[in-house]
């Protein structure tokens, strides 16, 4: 059975979708660690309810990103993690963590990459007037949302209600992320 770590900064609905898929044996894996950079985030509560170990930290209590990433690496190593899944983790991974977990980190992003990288992707897309939105899952490298694409799913939407686009997109994410993790682990 493979061992997953999920990184999140916010609500954690993708974290929960992946953890639940593992518990239901839809994926032959176990979520062994949840890493969060915001102690007040809802995902921390979700991890507690699911009884999943966490590493929760405040970046401001470290002198540099490399310092907290070294701690993250120690936690990942101790938990013998095979694959890291970023799920709404709103920080750029530095070369320190990338080097330690090379080709073992994936991310989900709420746009059809390479369009609309970075924060507020849905809002950027609405501002641009796009009619086809989407979700991308990709390998993480040193570029911002630029690693090789693993899976994508598009949906048509006309309008400017960002909350509605988020709702449609998240429903896709909660299915696509577990499915994609399963495929990667079977390769
Ligand atoms: C997800 O919709 C994910 O696509 C997005 O954050 C959300 C987290 O939701 N990620 C990014 O914008 C990355 N740039 P969740 O905490 O409920 O899983």
């Amino acid at each position: 059975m493979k061992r997953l770590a999920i990184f999140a900064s916010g609500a954690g609905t993708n974290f929960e979708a992946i953890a639940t898929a593992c518990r239901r044996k839809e994926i032959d894996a176990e979520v062994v660690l949840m890493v969060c950079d915001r102690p007040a985030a809802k995902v921390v509560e979700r991890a507690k309810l699911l009884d999943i170990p966490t590493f929760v930290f405040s970046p401001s209590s470290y002198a540099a990103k490399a310092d907290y990433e070294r701690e993250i690496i120690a936690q990942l190593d101790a938990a013998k993690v095979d694959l890291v899944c970023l799920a709404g983790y709103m920080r750029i991974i530095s070369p320190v963590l990338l080097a330690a977990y090379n080709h073992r980190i994936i991310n989900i992003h709420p746009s059809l990459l390479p369009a609309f990288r970075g924060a507020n992707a849905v809002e950027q897309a609405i501002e641009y007037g796009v009619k086809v939105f989407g979700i991308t899952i990709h390998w993480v490298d040193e570029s911002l949302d630029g690693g090789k694409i693993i899976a994508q799913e598009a949906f048509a939407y006309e309008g400017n209600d960002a909350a509605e686009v988020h709702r449609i997109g998240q429903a896709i994410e909660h299915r696509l992320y577990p499915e994609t993790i399963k495929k990667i682990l079977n390769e």
Side-chain angles (χ1 to χ4, degrees), residues 8-15 87-90 107-110 118-121 135 145 166 170 173-174:
S9 303
T13 63
N14 280 283
F15 158 74
Y89 181 69
M90 304 309 267
N107 180 44
I108 191 160
H109 184 77
N120 304 316
I135 303 298
D145 296 327
H166 277 290
Q170 286 224 320
E173 291 185 340
H174 298 159

Side-chain angles (χ1 to χ4, degrees), residues 9-30:
S9 303
T13 63
N14 280 283
F15 158 74
E16 189 162 324
I18 296 164
T20 305
C22 291
R23 295 253 161 109
R24 290 188 187 138
K25 312 266 181 243
E26 290 160 16
I27 309 175
D28 189 21
E30 188 185 352

Side-chain angles (χ1 to χ4, degrees), residues 87-130:
Y89 181 69
M90 304 309 267
R91 281 180 192 276
I92 293 170
I93 304 291
S94 91
V96 173
L97 181 46
L98 277 173
Y101 277 75
N102 185 30
H103 206 62
R104 284 189 286 169
I105 309 178
I106 61 175
N107 180 44
I108 191 160
H109 184 77
S111 78
L112 292 172
L113 289 173
F116 311 118
R117 298 171 190 218
N120 304 316
V122 166
E123 290 72 15
Q124 290 182 56
I126 287 177
E127 180 65 27
Y128 212 86
V130 308

Side-chain angles (χ1 to χ4, degrees), residues 48-70:
K48 268 197 197 113
L49 286 173
L50 289 166
D51 212 15
I52 290 174
T54 61
F55 174 58
V56 182
F57 66 99
S58 295
S60 58
S61 21
Y62 294 83
K65 180 178 279 203
D67 297 327
Y68 66 72
E69 284 198 347
R70 270 187 220 104

Side-chain angles (χ1 to χ4, degrees), residues 33 70-81 100-101 104:
L33 185 66
R70 270 187 220 104
E71 267 197 51
I72 293 175
I73 292 165
Q75 297 274 341
L76 295 173
D77 290 350
K80 297 188 167 40
V81 166
Y101 277 75
R104 284 189 286 169

